[in-house]
């Protein structure tokens, strides 16, 4: 029986990231930047007002109201003529003469010779003449050319995950497209004569195809571009055509229900024609029996997962998800692990590393993580899909541990945040 770590290493060795592609910045969110985005022009591209007010020469209002920004100084009265109103987006050059002011909007270009903006609240708000109630320093409330970014600066670095702020910065520096690591293409299929799609009513002995929907969702959560193929046709010719087609168009392929049972034999025969597929026991539970191989001309990673939905989702989490994250270029493909104190005893399967669903909580007073397992460690109760839906973590129990007592510390892997 192979250890979980050995199998993960075999899977990781097969990780191949798709070639970077150039996409519109509106489509880049959540992807990793694959280039150093170097700016060609300053941001902002001109001196502009940071607030609504009056553009002035700071020397003309020096000492008013106790001095610039409230410093001590000679108290004097100043009233300036308002020579213009400058709106945001104005393209008409404006020049300010000594002892003049210009009404200005946020984001509007500063007039020549003006070196500060006087906030409206420090004036009487006059339209033709403005009475100054308080002075300002040079540079106050002005965004200078290149304050954010200078030409030659790196706006977005390679390896950065592009989020809303990065999209905004790319737009601000005039980039329409950006080179990114694309989402790996994942194909998800189910096999089993008992399966029917959710659009049909199951007959006697039939069950809904849960796996292709659940695993497709898990793939999207991991960051993949998912093609849910659905239930495979048992006809050998059709089977070969579909599987070979998906292997040729995907970076990762998952076939649920592909291990064990007579129903899997046609699938195994087709896979053996496309490459080497190994089905083995892994020292983990649930989901001990699983398959992995690299098939097709490009050696595409193909996984065979158990038919049971809980087992399939756990194997996907432990084996498939990290591969997808590596293909996305993520430096840390595994889930975040925290230490938590158990709220009840945990019984695990001897000799197998346990990945048990649980609910992770935090003590508001101490900040300590607490975890409560859901369902049983073995038997039918370990396969209840409803309890997995309630879980927000997986409790990881070492293979050599058969029992964890209440109050002991265990490793816990965060799952996707709910809500």
């Amino acid at each position: 029986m192979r250890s979980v770590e050995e199998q993960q290493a075999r899977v990781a060795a097969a990780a191949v990231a798709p070639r970077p592609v150039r996409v519109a910045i509106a489509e880049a969110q959540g992807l990793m930047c694959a280039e150093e985005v170097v700016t060609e022009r300053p941001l902002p591209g001109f001196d502009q007002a940071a607030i609504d007010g009056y553009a002035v020469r700071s020397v003309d209002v020096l000492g008013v109201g106790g001095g610039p920004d409230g410093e001590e100084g000679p108290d004097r009265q100043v009233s300036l003529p308002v020579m213009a109103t400058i709106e945001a987006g104005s393209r008409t050059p404006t020049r300010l003469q000594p002892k003049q002011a210009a009404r200005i909007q946020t984001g509007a270009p500063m007039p020549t010779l003006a070196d500060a903006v006087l906030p409206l609240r420090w004036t009487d708000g006059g339209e033709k003449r403005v009475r100054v109630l308080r002075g300002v320093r040079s540079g106050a409330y002005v965004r200078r050319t290149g304050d954010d970014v200078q030409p030659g600066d790196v706006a977005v670095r390679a390896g950065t995950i592009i989020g809303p702020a990065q999209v905004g910065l790319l737009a601000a520096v005039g980039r329409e497209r950006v080179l990114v690591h694309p989402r790996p293409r994942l194909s998800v299929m189910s096999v089993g004569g008992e399966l029917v799609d959710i659009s049909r009513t199951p007959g006697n002995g039939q069950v809904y195809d849960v796996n292709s929907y659940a695993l497709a969702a898990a793939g999207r959560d991991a960051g993949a571009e998912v093609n849910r193929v659905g239930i495979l046709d048992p006809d050998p010719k059709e089977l070969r055509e579909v599987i070979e087609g998906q292997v040729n168009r995907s970076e990762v392929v998952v076939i649920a229900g592909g291990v064990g049972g007579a129903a899997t034999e046609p699938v195994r025969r087709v896979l053996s024609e496309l490459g080497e597929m190994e089905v083995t026991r892994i020292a983990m539970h649930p989901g001990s029996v699983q398959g992995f191989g690299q098939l097709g001309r490009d050696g595409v990673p193909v996984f065979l997962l158990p038919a049971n939905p809980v087992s399939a989702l756990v194997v996907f989490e432990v084996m498939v998800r990290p591969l997808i994250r590596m293909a996305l270029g993520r430096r840390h493909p595994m889930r975040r692990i925290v230490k938590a104190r158990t709220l009840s005893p945990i019984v695990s399967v001897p000799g197998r590393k346990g990945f048990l669903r649980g609910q992770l909580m935090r003590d508001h007073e101490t900040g300590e993580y607490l975890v409560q397992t859901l369902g049983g460690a073995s038997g039918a109760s370990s396969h209840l899909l409803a309890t997995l839906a309630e879980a927000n973590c997986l409790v990881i129990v070492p293979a050599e541990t058969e029992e964890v007592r209440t109050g002991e510390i265990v490793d816990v892997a965060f799952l996707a945040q709910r809500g």
Side-chain angles (χ1 to χ4, degrees):
M1 189 178 293
R2 185 176 298 149
S3 73
V4 171
E5 292 74 19
E6 289 173 332
Q7 185 72 356
Q8 286 177 324
R10 286 172 176 252
V11 171
V16 178
R19 291 182 179 179
V21 296
R22 199 167 294 279
V23 301
I25 62 172
E27 300 170 2
Q29 186 171 353
L31 301 178
M32 178 180 285
C33 187
E35 65 172 323
E36 299 280 292
V37 180
V38 178
T39 59
E40 299 177 356
R41 59 187 66 184
L43 176 67
F46 53 90
D47 291 354
Q48 59 182 241
I51 60 171
D52 287 357
Y54 295 87
V56 296
R57 300 193 320 157
S58 59
V59 68
D60 291 336
V61 296
L62 185 65
V64 177
D69 296 334
E71 289 183 356
E72 292 300 326
D75 194 3
R76 63 192 183 97
Q77 301 294 319
V78 172
S79 177
L80 303 175
V82 179
M83 49 78 64
T85 296
I86 308 173
E87 298 179 346
S90 172
R91 301 175 65 184
T92 304
T94 307
R95 183 179 180 87
L96 199 67
Q97 298 298 327
K99 299 188 184 301
Q100 285 185 338
R103 186 75 176 255
I104 195 166
Q105 293 180 355
T106 303
M110 292 289 289
T112 304
L113 296 186
D115 65 344
V117 174
L118 195 63
L120 287 174
R121 66 182 182 276
W122 293 354
T123 73
D124 66 350
E127 296 183 3
K128 294 184 178 180
R129 292 192 69 88
V130 58
R131 186 161 64 89
V132 180
L133 305 179
R134 183 176 176 183
V136 288
R137 286 192 178 96
S138 178
Y141 305 107
V142 176
R143 293 184 66 211
R144 294 294 187 188
T145 303
D147 270 355
D148 279 356
V149 178
Q150 292 283 353
D153 285 351
V154 177
V156 180
R157 297 193 176 279
T160 301
I161 304 302
I162 297 177
Q166 286 74 31
V167 171
L169 185 54
L170 289 167
V173 300
R175 286 294 294 266
E176 294 184 62
R177 306 179 72 81
V178 63
L179 194 68
V180 297
H181 295 285
R183 302 183 190 280
R185 294 167 295 180
L186 168 69
S187 292
V188 179
M189 297 165 265
S190 291
V191 61
E194 77 282 12
L195 301 177
V196 295
D197 194 71
I198 59 174
S199 60
R200 296 174 52 192
T201 302
N204 186 35
Q206 293 182 317
V207 296
Y208 286 126
D209 169 28
V210 173
N211 279 325
S212 72
Y213 287 95
L215 295 172
R220 294 188 194 96
D221 181 72
E225 177 187 319
V226 179
N227 176 36
R228 190 191 69 83
V229 179
I231 305 167
L232 290 173
D233 191 309
D235 177 71
K237 183 179 178 181
E238 179 73 17
L239 199 61
R240 161 110 192 199
E241 184 177 330
V242 172
I243 293 178
E244 187 173 20
Q246 296 305 316
V247 167
N248 289 337
R249 72 177 296 275
S250 306
E251 276 78 46
V252 184
V253 174
V254 169
I255 303 175
V259 288
T264 66
E265 287 304 317
V267 175
R268 302 273 289 278
R269 282 196 297 269
V270 168
L271 296 178
S272 67
E273 297 169 3
L274 300 176
E276 186 176 346
M277 171 63 67
E278 179 192 50
V279 176
T280 187
R281 284 190 176 274
I282 309 300
M284 65 177 285
H285 75 95
S288 173
V289 181
Q290 52 189 268
F292 176 71
Q294 291 179 262
L295 308 184
R297 60 180 181 270
D298 296 323
V300 174
V302 177
F303 295 85
L304 299 182
L305 304 191
N308 179 272
V310 170
S311 299
L313 280 168
V314 170
V315 173
F316 187 99
E317 175 69 30
V318 176
M319 299 295 174
V320 186
R321 189 180 193 276
L323 183 72
I324 293 172
R325 305 297 286 176
M326 284 185 278
L328 280 165
R330 303 299 171 92
R331 299 185 187 92
H332 305 289
M334 310 302 290
R335 296 276 195 184
R336 179 189 172 199
I337 302 293
V338 300
K339 301 288 185 181
R341 191 176 301 279
T342 59
L343 294 176
S344 61
I346 301 173
V347 178
S348 189
V349 177
R352 298 187 189 179
K353 191 172 186 177
F355 296 88
L356 311 178
R357 57 210 177 277
Q359 286 184 335
L360 188 66
M361 297 156 275
R362 198 161 195 175
D363 189 303
H364 291 296
E365 294 182 1
T366 66
E368 182 181 36
Y369 284 110
L370 307 172
V371 67
Q372 174 69 58
T373 53
L374 302 171
S378 61
S381 60
S382 68
H383 300 300
L384 296 177
L385 189 61
T387 57
L388 185 62
E390 289 297 316
N392 64 2
C393 69
L394 288 178
V395 181
I396 303 172
V397 182
E400 62 274 13
T401 301
E402 295 185 31
E403 183 176 359
V404 179
R405 294 188 295 271
T406 301
E408 290 189 355
I409 302 298
V410 292
D411 285 341
V412 175
F414 276 117
L415 298 179
Q417 295 296 317
R418 300 177 64 195

